[in-house]
Amino acid sequence: MHFNTLLLSAGAISMASAATTPQYLTLGTLNSNTPSGIKTPAYSTISFPITDSKTKATTTCTIQWDWTKTPSSASWTPCKDNSFSIKVSNYKTITDFSLELQHQYNTKTGKKCVNPNGTGCTTTLASTVISKSAVGFETYCGASGACGAVGKKGVKVAVSSSKTGTQK
């Protein structure tokens, strides 16, 4: 009887350690700015560091667009480490938009996929709404007339989907 108890306890420990830990993409301090009263070409910019909680990979993402327009939500913009990419959607202002995040990595090594559409490549997706209340933006304007915002550090964005295998 004592032996069976040990087996159950070991099984419970094994099951507990096999439980899935939620995966997050953590945004560091998010900076956004737009020029004002500047002749074109001038660009609005959103920039932030990002870390994947599962792979511990980290990089910086930056997206720029002509400040007289809105950012394109049609395609992904690669980050410094191009296994990460971002899209801005539902853009209203430099402090009110949605941010879509993607990270593709090799399941075995945790490193960047050589072929993102190949077997063993995991694609994770996450999205969040960026607003003054949601991220805690502080707005500012500089002497040149350029304005922007700084968001708080360490915003965890839960991965909403993850697909491993051959991607098409």
Side-chain angles (χ1 to χ4, degrees):
M1 186 72 166
H2 184 63
F3 183 72
N4 285 340
T5 302
L6 287 174
L7 281 178
L8 286 173
S9 296
I13 291 168
S14 174
M15 287 179 72
S17 64
T20 310
T21 303
Q23 185 175 359
Y24 293 92
L25 298 178
T26 303
L27 307 182
T29 301
L30 188 144
N31 293 288
S32 63
N33 62 62
T34 189
S36 176
I38 298 173
K39 294 181 182 179
T40 55
Y43 300 96
S44 292
T45 304
I46 297 169
S47 183
F48 56 91
I50 186 170
T51 303
D52 186 320
S53 66
K54 185 170 186 172
T55 66
K56 306 300 184 222
T58 188
T59 193
T60 300
C61 298
T62 302
I63 187 167
Q64 292 185 321
W65 65 96
D66 180 329
W67 74 283
T68 62
K69 300 176 182 175
T70 58
S72 170
S73 61
S75 61
W76 292 95
T77 299
C79 299
K80 193 171 187 178
D81 169 351
N82 66 6
S83 68
F84 288 88
S85 52
I86 61 172
K87 277 199 279 189
V88 174
S89 59
N90 301 318
Y91 182 85
K92 294 177 186 84
T93 69
I94 204 73
T95 59
D96 187 4
F97 55 90
S98 294
L99 190 58
E100 297 177 51
L101 312 161
Q102 176 178 271
H103 184 210
Q104 293 182 322
Y105 59 91
N106 183 291
T107 310
K108 292 180 180 173
T109 65
K111 304 289 184 192
K112 183 168 51 173
C113 291
V114 174
N115 176 5
N117 299 320
T119 303
C121 180
T122 295
T123 301
T124 57
L125 298 171
S127 64
T128 189
V129 173
I130 305 296
S131 67
K132 287 182 184 182
S133 60
V135 179
F137 273 113
E138 291 182 25
T139 58
Y140 64 87
C141 288
S144 68
C147 294
V150 178
K152 68 182 177 182
K153 183 179 181 180
V155 175
K156 287 185 176 181
V157 181
V159 167
S160 57
S161 68
S162 182
K163 182 177 178 184
T164 303
T166 304
Q167 315 283 314
K168 296 269 178 177

